[in-house]
């Protein structure tokens, strides 16, 4: 067997502990995780078979053959469908996958599938397709392996954070010029794209679906005033009003790995209630920064936030979470909340975003950064100033 990528080795260890004979992945983030290949458009499923004993197999439509061989770090690439002179294993992915499973004597094994991603129709296909196999859920196992990033993923996250920082710089400048939501957002995305033009080895494609793709994942949206309460929406032509705040939300991606940065910006001096909310959140962030290191439970960060918000009189406005893990997904599944059992380890990436929404007072904050846990502490990958911002 050739040397396997560290993330594949970690996943094989988890499979052995769970008694799984083979893993079949369809979810774009996971197939990329295991192969390094993103076709951008997933109109034909990309399938990865990972045997517990053996090398991964990448199964793609013949249309994606050249692209897959150019980008994937997996050597065993199989084809299905029909395209020009390409030689395939069958007309459908089901026929090809059946041949691969039979070849590897895995048709009757314990097979793990991504229940959190798989439509009912496809699950029923798999049940009919593998009548002698025992189907189990792989979702939590893969999520746990994805939590700790490999060195290449961390390097890509740094690039994504650099792109996001440039976007925030442009956004705040556009806000200072009193641009509307849409003008701020497009100025930010344009700045990120200009910076990307000087990065020849970086792709900014995001992950698509069966019905579409995402050629460019450098995204910004801006919300002013009361629109901050909708949290995520397409930017409008709304202009800023003096004395209110606006929020800028940025997701950037580099070679499949994301970074996030969010800032609350005041348009001139704001009312005392709004300034108090911002200062409270900045104080909470400072306290959390003092404990960000390996061995600390993620839930402790939430409890610090809850305690500080309650003591400041915001007990009725405590958010459900104060961040989330990030990487191949801009919002990965683990939340920084009271229920998570995750302990911080070196190599983990997450966003720190304690925030406040107090509709009765018209008060809102949104400040987020992407943070890497290091051997001895933590590192902010997003570096745009995170204090009180007024333009």
């Amino acid at each position: 067997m050739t040397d396997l990528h560290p993330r594949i080795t970690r996943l094989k260890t988890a499979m052995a502990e769970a008694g799984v004979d083979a893993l079949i992945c369809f979810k774009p983030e996971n197939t990329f995780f295991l192969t390094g290949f993103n076709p951008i458009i997933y109109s034909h499923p990309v399938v990865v078979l990972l045997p517990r004993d053996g090398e991964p197999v990448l199964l793609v439509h013949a249309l994606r053959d050249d692209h897959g061989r150019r980008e994937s770090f997996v050597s065993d690439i199989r084809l299905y469908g029909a395209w020009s002179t390409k030689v395939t294993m069958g007309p459908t992915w089901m026929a090809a996958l059946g041949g691969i499973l039979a070849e590897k004597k895995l048709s009757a094994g314990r097979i793990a599938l991504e229940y959190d991603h798989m439509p009912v129709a496809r699950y029923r296909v798999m049940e009919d397709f593998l009548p002698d196999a025992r189907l189990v859920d792989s979702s939590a196992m893969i999520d746990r392996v994805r939590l700790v990033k490999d060195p290449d993923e961390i390097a890509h996250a740094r690039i994504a954070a650099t792109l996001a920082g440039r976007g925030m710089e442009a956004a705040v400048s556009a806000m200072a010029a009193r641009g509307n939501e849409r003008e701020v957002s497009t100025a930010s995305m344009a700045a990120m794209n200009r910076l990307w033009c000087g990065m020849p080895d970086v792709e900014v494609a995001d992950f698509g679906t069966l019905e579409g793709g995402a050629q460019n994942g450098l995204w910004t949206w801006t919300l002013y005033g009361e629109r901050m309460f909708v949290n995520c929406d397409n930017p409008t032509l709304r202009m800023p009003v003096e004395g209110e705040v606006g929020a800028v939300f940025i997701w950037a991606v580099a070679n499949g790995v994301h970074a996030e940065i969010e800032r609350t910006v005041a348009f001139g001096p704001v009312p005392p209630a709004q300034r108090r909310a911002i200062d409270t959140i900045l104080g909470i962030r400072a306290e959390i920064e003092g404990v960000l290191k390996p061995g600390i439970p993620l839930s402790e960060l939430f409890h610090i936030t809850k305690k500080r918000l309650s003591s400041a009189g915001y007990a009725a406005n405590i958010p459900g979470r104060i961040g989330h893990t990030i990487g191949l997904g801009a919002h990965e599944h683990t939340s920084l909340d009271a229920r998570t059992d995750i302990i911080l380890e070196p190599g983990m990436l997450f966003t720190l975003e304690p925030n406040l929404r107090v509709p009765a007072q018209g008060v809102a904050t949104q400040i987020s950064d992407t943070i890497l846990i290091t051997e001895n502490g933590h590192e902010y990958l997003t570096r745009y100033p995170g204090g009180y911002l007024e333009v």
Side-chain angles (χ1 to χ4, degrees):
M1 183 185 301
T2 58
D3 291 338
L4 296 176
H5 198 290
R7 68 193 63 153
I8 294 177
T9 301
R10 293 202 311 274
L11 188 50
K12 280 174 165 287
T13 299
M15 291 167 63
E17 291 172 352
V20 169
D21 296 303
L23 173 67
I24 299 174
C25 289
F26 295 89
K27 188 176 182 178
E29 291 83 354
N30 291 339
T31 58
F32 179 84
F33 181 66
L34 294 173
T35 68
F37 174 54
N38 176 7
I40 303 175
I41 297 174
Y42 287 80
S43 51
H44 302 98
V46 173
V47 189
V48 176
L49 170 67
L50 180 62
R52 185 174 66 192
D53 303 311
E55 299 186 25
V57 179
L58 172 61
L59 175 62
V60 297
H61 191 277
L63 173 62
R64 312 298 176 197
D65 182 28
D66 294 339
H67 192 185
R69 293 183 192 280
R70 181 172 298 181
E71 292 195 351
S72 177
F73 54 74
V74 169
S75 58
D76 191 352
I77 299 177
R78 314 288 185 96
L79 308 179
Y80 69 90
W83 194 260
S84 186
T85 60
K86 299 289 186 181
V87 178
T88 73
M89 295 186 67
T92 65
W93 65 263
M94 293 85 81
L97 182 59
I100 297 168
L101 288 167
E103 169 194 321
K104 297 185 177 296
K105 298 180 173 57
L106 290 169
S107 301
R110 184 178 166 93
I111 308 294
L113 306 173
E114 306 145 309
Y115 286 10
D116 70 341
H117 173 76
M118 185 167 289
V120 172
R122 183 171 290 172
Y123 181 80
R124 287 177 175 165
V125 167
M126 298 302 290
E127 279 188 313
D128 293 341
F129 180 64
L130 295 167
D132 298 321
R134 180 181 176 191
L135 303 181
V136 298
D137 186 14
S138 66
S139 306
M141 178 175 64
I142 298 176
D143 285 347
R144 184 64 184 83
V145 171
R146 279 175 48 181
L147 276 177
V148 176
K149 313 306 182 189
D150 287 326
D152 63 317
E153 293 178 296
I154 294 171
H156 300 326
R158 291 185 190 281
I159 297 170
T162 298
L163 289 163
R166 179 63 61 86
M168 185 59 71
E169 180 182 341
V172 175
S173 293
M175 294 171 93
R178 298 308 190 257
N180 63 41
E181 291 179 349
R182 202 166 289 177
E183 289 169 333
V184 170
S185 300
T186 55
S188 173
M189 291 186 287
M192 287 192 284
N193 277 280
R194 283 193 296 270
L195 181 59
W196 172 53
C197 284
M199 299 177 172
D201 298 322
V202 174
E203 289 191 353
V204 296
D206 220 319
F207 300 104
T209 69
L210 289 177
E211 297 189 13
Q215 278 280 352
N216 191 312
L218 303 178
W219 294 332
T220 301
W221 71 97
T222 308
L223 303 173
Y224 287 163
E226 77 288 344
R227 280 178 43 76
M228 286 179 64
F229 294 104
V230 303
N231 298 308
C232 184
D233 194 14
N234 211 228
T236 69
L237 298 181
R238 187 190 187 285
M239 300 294 292
V241 175
E242 296 302 310
E244 71 176 5
V245 299
V248 179
F249 307 75
I250 296 176
W251 289 340
V253 60
N255 295 328
V257 183
H258 293 79
E260 173 185 291
I261 186 170
E262 299 166 353
R263 291 291 184 266
T264 298
V265 180
F267 291 100
V270 295
Q274 178 65 65
R275 180 60 190 264
R276 180 173 180 270
I278 294 174
D279 289 343
T280 298
I281 292 300
L282 294 176
I284 290 170
R285 286 169 60 90
E287 182 172 342
I288 288 175
E289 288 168 15
V291 300
L292 283 180
K293 60 184 179 181
I296 298 298
L298 272 178
S299 58
E300 183 174 328
L301 311 183
F302 180 84
H303 290 305
I304 289 172
T305 302
K306 182 177 180 179
K307 181 178 179 181
R308 285 287 298 266
L309 287 178
S310 296
S311 65
Y314 297 110
N317 307 103
I318 294 169
R321 69 177 183 180
I322 61 163
H324 51 83
T325 54
I326 189 169
L328 297 179
H331 271 221
E332 293 188 335
H333 284 167
T334 300
S335 291
L336 276 67
D337 58 22
R339 297 176 298 279
T340 180
D341 60 356
I342 299 298
I343 306 297
L344 292 177
E345 298 178 41
M348 285 186 176
L349 276 177
F350 62 91
T351 68
L352 178 64
E353 47 182 305
N355 65 78
L356 265 174
R357 298 286 192 277
V358 189
Q361 300 178 19
V363 165
T365 72
Q366 192 69 39
I367 303 171
S368 177
D369 283 287
T370 301
I371 296 175
L372 169 69
I373 296 300
T374 62
E375 292 293 334
N376 299 311
H378 67 276
E379 176 187 352
Y380 275 73
L381 298 191
T382 45
R383 299 177 181 274
Y384 191 85
Y388 177 75
L389 299 175
E390 183 179 312
V391 294

